[in-house]
């Protein structure tokens, strides 16, 4: 590891230092910090032009003796003198006490990732502030990278600020124009939306329809959107606002203020409306602004990971990428069932002997069916089989939610845990555990040790967890501080048992997988399941890499080969809005060390030639090249398999398709490779013969150019080069 750490501290009499600058290592970006009329203020420029115009920083604390944070109704633009006098004001009356400059240039190796070594290179400015009227202190640490900015608030140990309650974080991001934005509605409980593409001034008028993309929402406000928020300026600069290392803190949304073209942080409240209980010394998560002259610069940025702490798990030898199939699509499409019985009224949890109840005949997680999946996984070189619906409680999940639903250790009578463990072990395959918590979170925490021990005892080393429904205890939100602490607790505890975690419906990731690499996946966005619930927008997978995936890998579950869902279940007329070739491309364009081949066995057996790509594609990479991209239109990515001279290329396209020549100059010179190209057949689009594809094999070298590669509308192509 190469590491240079430079540090300099400058102390000066208060009030004499008014402003400080720091430049990025390449000198092209500049961060200027100043105190404007007592308010901490920053500006970010690139090539001398503002990217973030002067923006204030600070906090509104909860008023003492106030029951609710929200009754304060504080709006930054309406701050009054009365507010400024209050102890709740932690945004004005500041002076700059001192500052420090640091820099770092190091490279580190992730346990798994898009590349085998990551450079962490920044210049840092730490400003130490004092709010004299309340005799309180706050520091702000800025890190400027060549590709953007990270900053966070730090609250040192001090007499007049020990425990405090946040009413709102007041971090501003002032925009410099009416940018184009790709966003999902701000919501405290779901992220499973299609994306909207509007100008900033169009957010409000699109919000109603944006929210209607999901039926169970807790909307955050008429102009509030989620991060990672991707934007493009009129000058063609790409910027992306998100956060890194969100720990013991609520998830941040952004409220767009039309009056001054500014986004302001909007934290997820708890059941009382409070937005964070903090105790000094502590700090906020990092707020990030990734900046690129090209869209692909955003995809190549490692700011989110670099702002997280190195792995806290010392022995990571048990953590590995996982390619899996599963007893899953069957139920998602409605062909099979999670529940063993439909005799709901006869079930008394903890008392019922299920083997005495009539089976509904559609229970997919039965021993024979799971064995079929184990055989299929073993034959095709998959690591694991996910099995959902194996445990008691699914028949009336919502009805039971009042006290408890699942205990995570009691199988239905037709699922033989011991026998399946033996069978899977014999075949060299793992079964992936499923914990649907039903969002009964205290119930889950009470059972967690037993549930993880049960996994260890029965040969499981990975769990998919889920948080469907309103959080119990009631009133908490999926993205509040309380839940964010829970998700991390579940991941840390899993590490004690050497268990890898893939949490669905959990908060959107902020790069914590660097610190806890057993967090190998999250859903936290609209995944493939929605292709069976009405469909995903055609350009969905061209936006996800710029938004959801900025914080960490997504368990998108691609690989659907039959696009007409009514073929699985005649009463489900949903359609997958993708071609088959694009389903292959997603294994490359949507990075994840955890990849599912989500379709059912018979659909793969019917098309072994296309399935070959899923069997071949790597999960872990030495290098990733983002060759061409435009959010909403197309993404073209090439990746080199870790430790092998093999490359995989993927292209996913939106409503206008994509056509390109592809130079293979990234291959090793003087070597002949075998390329297999899987592309949409001529004229194929998501709504026109989506399942027709062509496969072409040819010998290539680093001098080859593949001419006229075409992805249809909602289509794509995938290439393996060995
Ligand atoms: C929603 C998850 O995203 C999906 O993958 C899972 O099958 C269901 N919840 C049931 O837990
Ligand atoms: Ca989900």
């Amino acid at each position: 590891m190469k590491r240079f750490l430079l540090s300099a501290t400058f102390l000066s009499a208060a009030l004499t230092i008014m402003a400080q600058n720091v430049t990025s290592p390449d000198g092209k970006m500049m961060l200027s910090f100043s105190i404007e009329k007592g308010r901490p203020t920053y500006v970010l420029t690139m090539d001398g032009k503002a990217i973030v115009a002067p923006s204030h920083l600070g906090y509104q604390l909860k008023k003492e003796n106030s029951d609710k944070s929200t009754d304060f109704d504080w709006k930054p633009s309406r701050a009054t003198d009365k507010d400024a006098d209050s102890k709740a004001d932690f945004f004005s009356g500041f002076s700059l006490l001192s500052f420090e400059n640091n820099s770092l240039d190091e490279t580190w190796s992730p346990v798994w990732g898009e590349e085998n070594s990551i450079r962490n290179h920044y210049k840092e400015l730490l400003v130490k502030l004092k709010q004299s009227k309340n005799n309180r202190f706050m520091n702000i640490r800025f890190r400027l990278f060549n590709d953007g900015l990270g900053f966070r608030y730090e609250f040192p140990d001090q007499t007049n600020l020990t425990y405090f309650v946040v009413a709102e974080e007041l971090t501003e991001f002032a925009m410099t124009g009416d940018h184009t934005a790709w966003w999902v509605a701000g919501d405290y409980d779901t992220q499973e939306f299609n994306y909207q593409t509007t100008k900033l001034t169009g957010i409000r008028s699109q919000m109603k329809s944006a929210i209607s993309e999901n039926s169970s929402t807790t909307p955050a406000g008429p102009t509030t959107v989620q991060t990672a928020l991707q934007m493009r300026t009129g000058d063609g600069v790409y910027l992306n606002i998100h956060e890194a290392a969100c720990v013991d803190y609520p998830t941040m949304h952004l409220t767009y203020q039309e009056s001054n073209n500014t986004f302001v942080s909007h934290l997820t409240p708890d059941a009382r409306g409070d937005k964070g209980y903090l105790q000094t010394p502590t700090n906020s998560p990092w707020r990030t602004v990734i900046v690129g002259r090209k869209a692909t610069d955003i995809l190549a940025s490692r700011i989110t990971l670099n702002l997280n702490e190195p792995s806290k798990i010392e022995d990571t030898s048990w953590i590995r990428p996982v390619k899996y199939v599963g007893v899953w699509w069957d139920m998602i499409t409605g062909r099979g069932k999670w529940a063993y019985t439909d005799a709901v009224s006869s079930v008394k949890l903890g008392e019922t002997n299920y083997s005495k109840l009539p089976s509904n005949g559609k229970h997919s997680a039965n021993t024979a069916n799971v064995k079929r999946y184990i055989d299929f996984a073993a034959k095709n070189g998959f690591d694991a089989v996910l099995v959902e619906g194996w445990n008691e409680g699914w028949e009336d999940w919502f009805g039971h939610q009042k006290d408890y639903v699942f205990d995570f250790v009691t199988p239905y009578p037709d699922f033989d845990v011991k026998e399946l463990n033996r069978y899977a072990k014999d075949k060299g395959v793992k079964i992936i555990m499923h914990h649907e918590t039903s969002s009964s979170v205290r119930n889950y925490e009470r059972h967690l040790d037993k549930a993880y021990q049960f996994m260890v005892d029965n040969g499981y080393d990975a769990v998919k967890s889920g948080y469907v429904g309103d959080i119990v205890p009631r009133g908490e939100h999926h993205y509040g501080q309380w839940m964010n602490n829970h998700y991390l607790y579940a991941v840390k505890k899993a590490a004690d048992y050497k268990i890898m975690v893939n949490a669905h419906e959990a908060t959107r990731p902020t790069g914590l997988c660097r610190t806890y690499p057993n967090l190998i996946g999250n859903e936290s966005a609209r995944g493939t399941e929605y292709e069976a619930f009405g469909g995903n927008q055609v350009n969905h997978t061209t936006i996800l890499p710029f938004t959801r995936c900025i914080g960490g890998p997504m368990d998108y579950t691609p690989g659907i080969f039959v696009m007409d869902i009514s073929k699985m279940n005649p009463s489900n007329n949903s359609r997958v809005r993708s071609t088959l070739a694009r389903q292959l491309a997603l294994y490359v364009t949507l990075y994840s060390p955890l990849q599912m081949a989500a379709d059912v066995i018979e659909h793969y057996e019917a098309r072994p030639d296309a399935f070959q790509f899923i069997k071949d594609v790597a999960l872990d990479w030495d290098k990733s090249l983002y060759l061409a991209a435009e959010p909403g239109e197309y993404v073209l990515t090439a990746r080199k398999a870790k430790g092998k001279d093999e490359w995989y290329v993927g292209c996913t396209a939106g409503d206008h398709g994509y056509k390109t020549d592809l130079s293979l100059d990234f291959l090793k010179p003087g070597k002949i490779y075998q390329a297999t190209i899987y592309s949409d057949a001529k004229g194929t689009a998501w709504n026109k013969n989506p399942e027709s594809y062509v496969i072409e094999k040819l010998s290539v070298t680093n001098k080859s150019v593949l001419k006229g590669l075409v992805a249809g509308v909602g289509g794509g192509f995938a290439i393996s080069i060995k």
Side-chain angles (χ1 to χ4, degrees):
M1 188 201 278
K2 138 170 105 93
R3 193 183 165 103
F4 306 104
L5 188 61
L6 294 170
S7 176
T9 306
F10 302 89
L11 272 166
S12 181
L15 300 176
T16 58
I17 324 166
M18 292 307 288
Q20 276 308 313
N21 297 332
V22 63
T23 55
S24 56
D26 65 5
K28 295 194 171 144
M29 298 194 54
M30 187 162 85
L31 178 280
S32 307
F33 176 83
S34 59
I35 302 281
E36 302 295 334
K37 294 195 183 134
R39 296 192 67 177
T41 305
Y42 75 101
V43 182
L44 179 67
T45 61
M46 182 170 73
D47 303 326
K49 271 187 147 176
I51 298 292
V52 180
S55 299
H56 292 139
L57 298 167
Y59 277 83
Q60 177 67 30
L61 305 187
K62 185 175 175 176
K63 271 190 171 176
E64 276 171 30
N65 308 320
S66 145
D67 258 2
K68 277 180 84 195
S69 288
T70 43
D71 66 7
F72 190 74
D73 190 27
W74 191 88
K75 297 260 167 22
S77 50
R78 284 200 266 127
T80 63
D81 288 347
K82 193 171 121 269
D83 301 326
D85 285 345
S86 150
K87 283 222 173 90
D89 163 8
F90 206 28
F91 58 87
S92 75
F94 280 98
S95 56
L96 178 54
L97 283 185
S98 67
F99 63 92
E100 263 178 49
N101 287 116
N102 301 303
S103 68
L104 182 71
D105 188 357
E106 64 168 5
T107 51
W108 57 279
S109 293
V111 175
W112 41 260
E114 293 181 78
E115 54 204 354
N116 60 20
S117 106
I118 293 178
R119 187 172 182 190
N120 182 17
H121 190 194
Y122 61 77
K123 287 198 186 178
E124 181 177 272
L125 170 67
L126 173 67
V127 293
K128 299 192 170 177
L129 311 178
K130 179 173 182 185
Q131 189 189 38
S132 295
K133 60 186 176 186
N134 289 320
N135 199 19
R136 290 189 301 217
F137 301 87
M138 173 164 79
N139 303 334
I140 306 172
R141 190 180 296 272
F142 297 94
R143 287 188 180 163
L144 199 52
F145 302 79
N146 290 340
D147 52 355
L149 170 70
F151 61 90
R152 72 176 185 192
Y153 301 90
E154 298 180 351
F155 307 99
D157 199 10
Q158 54 194 290
T159 316
N160 290 338
L161 191 70
T162 48
Y163 299 94
F164 61 106
V165 182
V166 173
E168 190 57 280
E169 180 185 320
L170 306 175
T171 302
E172 295 181 348
F173 303 87
M175 298 292 96
T176 57
D178 193 8
H179 305 332
T180 302
W182 290 268
W183 54 275
V184 291
D187 196 280
Y188 303 144
D189 286 295
T190 185
Q191 305 143 116
E192 297 182 354
F193 294 111
N194 275 314
Y195 284 91
Q196 309 298 320
T197 307
T198 67
K199 292 284 188 188
L200 299 181
T201 50
I203 291 175
R204 182 183 293 274
S205 58
Q206 197 61 23
M207 189 55 76
K208 216 170 151 197
S209 110
I211 285 285
S212 71
E213 293 287 345
N214 190 303
S215 55
S216 49
T217 60
T218 321
T223 58
T224 302
V225 300
Q226 306 203 22
T227 72
L229 170 67
Q230 178 62 46
M231 287 174 281
R232 186 186 59 218
T233 71
D235 297 340
V237 172
Y238 293 81
L239 63 153
N240 184 292
I241 304 179
H242 190 39
E243 57 180 321
C246 183
V247 176
D248 197 10
Y249 201 90
T251 295
M252 175 181 75
H253 299 286
L254 296 171
T255 296
Y256 179 64
Q257 294 181 159
E258 287 129 332
S259 56
N260 58 356
N261 192 27
T262 293
F263 284 102
V264 184
S265 50
H266 176 127
L267 303 180
T268 305
D270 72 359
R272 295 166 50 92
D274 294 333
K275 298 196 165 190
Y277 300 98
L278 305 186
Q279 182 188 353
T280 55
T282 188
N283 52 258
S284 74
W286 294 92
R287 277 63 190 94
T288 58
V289 185
I290 304 173
V291 189
R293 291 165 190 83
K294 306 189 299 297
T296 49
D297 295 342
I298 304 290
L299 305 180
S301 175
R302 300 289 175 250
I303 284 184
T304 319
L305 289 176
N306 278 329
L307 289 171
N308 275 273
E309 300 288 318
S311 177
K312 290 204 169 149
I313 301 173
E314 248 167 62
D315 169 19
T316 56
S317 58
W318 51 276
I319 300 171
R320 64 201 159 84
V322 177
K323 198 185 284 183
Y324 70 106
V325 287
V327 177
W328 182 73
W329 193 235
D330 223 26
M331 290 92 88
I332 291 286
T333 56
R335 185 173 78 171
K337 288 194 171 186
W338 278 276
Y340 166 78
T341 181
D342 292 341
V344 178
S345 54
S346 326
V347 174
K348 276 216 175 78
L349 282 172
E351 292 171 26
T352 297
N353 181 351
Y354 278 74
S355 57
K356 298 227 163 86
L357 296 179
S359 154
N360 57 30
K362 285 186 154 192
H363 182 227
S364 302
N366 63 73
T367 303
N369 194 35
V370 175
K371 281 190 175 174
R372 208 165 60 86
Y373 272 84
I374 292 170
D375 291 342
F376 182 75
K379 185 171 150 209
N380 293 293
F382 284 75
D383 303 293
V385 176
L386 165 72
V387 185
E388 294 197 9
W390 67 277
N391 55 330
E392 290 181 357
W394 286 85
E395 54 287 329
D396 187 19
W397 161 358
F398 291 105
H400 292 315
Q401 202 174 28
K402 279 169 237 112
D403 26 37
Y404 87 101
V405 189
F406 299 112
D407 69 3
F408 314 99
V409 295
T410 310
Y412 279 131
D414 59 346
F415 182 87
D416 188 336
V417 176
K418 297 276 176 231
E419 168 58 11
L420 285 167
N421 175 28
R422 182 201 65 76
Y423 193 81
K425 201 169 167 195
D426 239 37
K427 302 254 167 167
V429 169
K430 286 279 186 188
I431 305 180
I432 299 179
M433 172 52 74
H434 185 229
H435 290 166
E436 175 51 68
T437 67
S438 69
S439 287
S440 194
V441 176
R442 276 295 188 235
N443 171 64
Y444 187 43
E445 290 183 350
R446 274 196 293 272
H447 287 87
L448 207 49
D449 273 297
K450 263 197 201 148
Y452 285 158
Q453 189 58 48
F454 178 86
M455 287 177 61
V456 172
D457 294 345
N458 292 292
Y460 296 80
D461 69 348
V463 60
K464 170 178 171 180
S465 56
Y467 297 86
V468 171
D470 293 340
I471 304 292
V472 179
R474 283 191 201 289
E476 292 303 336
H477 294 297
H478 279 74
Y479 316 137
Q481 182 184 21
W482 193 85
M483 280 305 292
N484 286 351
N485 286 346
H486 164 79
Y487 303 128
L488 194 55
Y489 170 76
V491 169
K492 286 186 190 173
K493 200 172 242 314
D496 295 342
Y497 291 85
K498 295 197 163 65
I499 287 170
M500 298 179 280
V501 177
N502 163 28
H504 278 222
E505 294 89 31
T507 200
R508 49 196 173 278
T510 57
L512 285 170
C513 57
R514 177 180 178 189
T515 315
Y516 304 98
N518 65 321
L519 176 59
I520 54 170
N522 271 120
E523 182 191 42
S524 309
R526 194 176 173 103
T528 297
E529 60 181 350
Y530 280 85
E531 300 281 23
F533 310 157
N536 286 343
Q537 210 158 264
V538 174
N539 67 4
H540 193 57
T541 53
T542 68
I543 301 174
L544 285 173
F546 290 95
T547 51
R548 163 62 185 80
C549 300
I550 294 294
M554 177 167 180
D555 185 32
Y556 187 71
T557 72
I560 303 303
F561 276 17
V562 173
M563 308 304 163
D564 177 355
I565 305 298
S566 71
K567 290 192 178 149
M568 293 275 295
N569 170 8
S571 58
N572 183 343
N573 48 29
S574 195
R575 243 174 200 283
V576 181
R577 296 196 185 126
S578 165
T579 65
L580 190 149
R582 177 166 98 176
Q583 290 293 309
L584 303 180
L586 298 179
Y587 291 92
V588 184
T589 58
L590 286 173
Y591 164 69
S592 178
L594 175 77
Q595 290 281 12
M596 181 179 203
D599 212 334
V600 294
I601 292 176
E602 57 271 30
H603 293 169
Y604 292 134
E605 284 177 342
R607 292 182 167 102
D609 54 352
F611 186 53
Q612 188 63 41
F613 183 84
I614 304 180
K615 286 166 65 172
D616 290 346
V617 69
L619 299 173
D620 204 10
W621 311 98
D622 275 336
K623 207 190 258 184
S624 292
L625 303 175
Y626 309 93
L627 300 171
E630 176 63 18
E633 296 293 336
Y634 54 87
V635 173
L636 173 62
T637 307
R639 303 189 199 265
K640 180 184 172 294
K642 196 178 245 175
K644 284 188 187 168
D645 193 11
E646 278 178 17
W647 286 78
Y648 294 86
V649 177
C651 173
T652 175
D655 295 277
H656 304 105
Y658 184 63
K659 189 171 172 193
T660 189
D661 295 340
L662 176 65
S663 162
L664 301 184
D665 57 3
F666 48 80
L667 299 178
K668 233 191 218 157
K671 245 187 109 168
I672 299 173
Y673 297 78
Q674 170 83 218
T676 309
I677 308 170
Y678 305 76
S679 45
D680 296 328
K682 202 158 189 254
T684 294
W686 76 269
N687 53 358
K688 211 173 138 209
N689 303 322
E691 290 152 19
S692 49
Y693 55 90
V694 283
I695 299 177
E696 195 188 343
K697 287 184 193 290
L698 59 161
S699 295
V700 295
T701 69
N702 78 319
K703 301 239 156 48
S704 305
V705 178
L706 304 178
K707 292 246 166 149
L709 293 167
V710 178
V713 171
F717 54 81
I719 310 173
S720 69
I721 307 172
K722 300 193 192 190

